[in-house]
Amino acid sequence: MKKIAVLTSGGDAPGMNAAIRAVVRTCLDKGLTVMGIQRGFSGLINGEIFQMDRRSVADIIHRGGTILRTARSEEFKTEAGQKKGAAILNAFGIDGLVVIGGDGSFHGAQALTKYGINAVGLPGTIDNDLAYTDYTIGFDTSVNTVLDAINKLRDTSTSHERVSIVEVMGRNCGDIALYAGLAGGAESIIVPEKGYDINELCRTILEGKLRGKRHNLVIVAEGVGGANEIAKKVEEVTGIGARATILGHIQRGGSPTANDRILASRLGYRAVELLMDGKSSRVVGVRGGEVIDIDIDEALAMERKFDEKLYDIATALSY
Ligand code: F6P
């Protein structure tokens, strides 16, 4: 293993830069050549590859986004695109590839391994939807961004004695809603894993008001969606003013939290170690605080378990 390349793919996540930095500096520390691939698998197909040094990753540990840029490539989903990608890596003499991204990016890495490329995946997505790891890089920052918004919405919700419906990202995973909802003291958390009943929600809101609650915060995961419709229905049924806020892409930006930077640094380091040990088709993650790695096929086949206990705690503490 002499030359390793790194790319970021799919939706960006805060902490991706810290992960790139960790991969680049670990490679250099171990005497390897390291290449950066721009714009994910799209850039790979176009040969957008350049050599990196220690200074290429200076001043980025605290920055959101990804200096390598990112993309969602349709061409790379085809066999022809994947073959092209593998050929380019071979042409550049790249012995190992680190792919930083989520589920879709891991499928890309998995495809490349079928053409003999050594690849390791690093979980970079705000969604926290990868079953094999407790946390993904970017999730903690995103939860804190949502939390900041919830704190602000609580102020205005309390002043006007209104209901605030906050829609958050996460694709089909309710973790951002669950964690931010628990940390923000939300009255209700609506996630795709549990579903919801509009009448029950309205009842909970009315009961809260009768118990003296001045505000009511409802966090809705985008996998359920419909924040505007929920607000309209709540207002109609309860007679209490309701407003919807869809947080959108601000959840993807911002300076990564210490947790995300540390996770990214640990996982980036391990990814390079694995490639140096001749291991490929692996993804790295964290379980019970320990860095782990597992087979990419196994990781992608795993079904994510929803944290029922955390949901129960959030419910018990909400009224
Ligand atoms: O996967 C990250 C994510 O932000 C999801 O939470 C969201 O559903 C999606 O990406 C949005 O994608 P795009 O940036 O392409 O609109």
Side-chain angles (χ1 to χ4, degrees):
M1 185 66 50
K2 290 202 174 77
K3 199 189 262 185
I4 285 179
V6 56
L7 64 78
T8 49
S9 156
D12 62 349
M16 275 186 166
N17 277 330
I20 296 167
R21 174 180 177 272
V23 171
V24 169
R25 291 206 171 158
T26 306
C27 284
L28 296 170
D29 182 62
K30 297 189 183 299
L32 304 175
T33 300
V34 60
M35 311 296 282
I37 300 173
Q38 288 186 313
R39 298 180 184 80
F41 294 115
S42 285
L44 169 61
I45 291 172
N46 296 328
E48 295 179 54
I49 302 177
F50 65 102
Q51 189 164 345
M52 299 183 85
D53 59 28
R54 294 189 86 84
R55 297 279 68 77
S56 322
V57 290
D59 253 343
I60 65 165
I61 195 166
H62 62 297
R63 280 168 52 193
T66 159
I67 59 158
L68 290 177
R69 312 285 171 252
T70 187
R72 301 190 200 274
S73 169
E74 284 308 314
E75 189 183 352
F76 197 74
K77 286 185 187 152
T78 66
E79 219 177 284
Q82 291 158 6
K83 270 192 189 155
K84 212 158 144 190
I88 298 262
L89 288 167
N90 288 327
F92 276 79
I94 290 163
D95 310 303
L97 176 68
V98 178
V99 172
I100 307 170
D103 183 69
S105 312
F106 283 4
H107 276 103
Q110 186 186 36
L112 283 172
T113 65
K114 308 278 184 275
Y115 297 104
I117 300 296
N118 298 313
V120 169
L122 231 84
T125 166
I126 62 165
D127 298 339
N128 210 35
D129 59 350
L130 295 167
Y132 76 94
T133 181
D134 290 347
Y135 297 107
T136 56
I137 299 161
F139 171 67
D140 187 60
T141 306
S142 181
V143 166
N144 279 286
T145 299
V146 174
L147 186 57
D148 180 55
I150 292 176
N151 292 340
K152 288 173 175 151
L153 288 166
R154 179 188 283 267
D155 290 342
T156 172
S157 175
T158 306
S159 305
H160 286 265
E161 299 178 78
R162 274 178 184 155
V163 179
S164 192
I165 317 278
V166 191
E167 186 173 314
V168 303
M169 279 186 169
R171 219 175 274 276
N172 297 316
C173 179
D175 277 18
I176 296 179
L178 176 61
Y179 279 67
L182 172 60
E187 273 65 34
S188 301
I189 299 171
I190 300 176
V191 291
E193 293 89 342
K194 302 293 289 182
Y196 79 110
D197 176 80
I198 189 75
N199 289 321
E200 199 181 311
L201 177 68
C202 290
R203 209 170 49 240
T204 307
I205 290 167
L206 282 171
E207 283 168 0
K209 181 139 183 133
L210 287 174
R211 276 198 309 275
K213 274 188 184 283
R214 304 230 168 279
H215 62 265
N216 203 292
L217 297 161
V218 180
I219 317 300
V220 189
E222 70 173 346
V224 176
N228 283 308
E229 292 71 29
I230 296 174
K232 208 165 149 234
K233 189 83 187 161
V234 164
E235 197 165 299
E236 250 170 51
V237 174
T238 65
I240 305 169
R243 295 288 185 273
T245 306
I246 298 170
L247 292 180
H249 285 80
I250 63 161
Q251 294 162 93
R252 287 244 295 267
S255 181
T257 58
N259 272 340
D260 274 332
R261 297 182 200 191
I262 292 164
L263 182 62
S265 303
R266 293 173 78 196
L267 299 189
Y269 189 90
R270 173 62 76 90
V272 175
E273 275 185 336
L274 283 176
L275 287 169
M276 286 190 77
D277 287 349
K279 294 194 181 129
S280 172
S281 309
R282 311 288 291 173
V283 288
V284 296
V286 67
R287 268 193 218 151
E290 294 296 321
V291 173
I292 53 112
D293 61 274
I294 73 162
D295 181 75
I296 195 163
D297 297 332
E298 202 187 313
L300 286 171
M302 278 172 80
E303 220 170 286
R304 183 152 184 91
K305 276 205 197 85
F306 182 66
D307 194 338
E308 296 284 344
K309 181 79 185 175
L310 211 57
Y311 182 82
D312 289 347
I313 293 172
T315 308
L317 303 184
S318 67
Y319 57 94

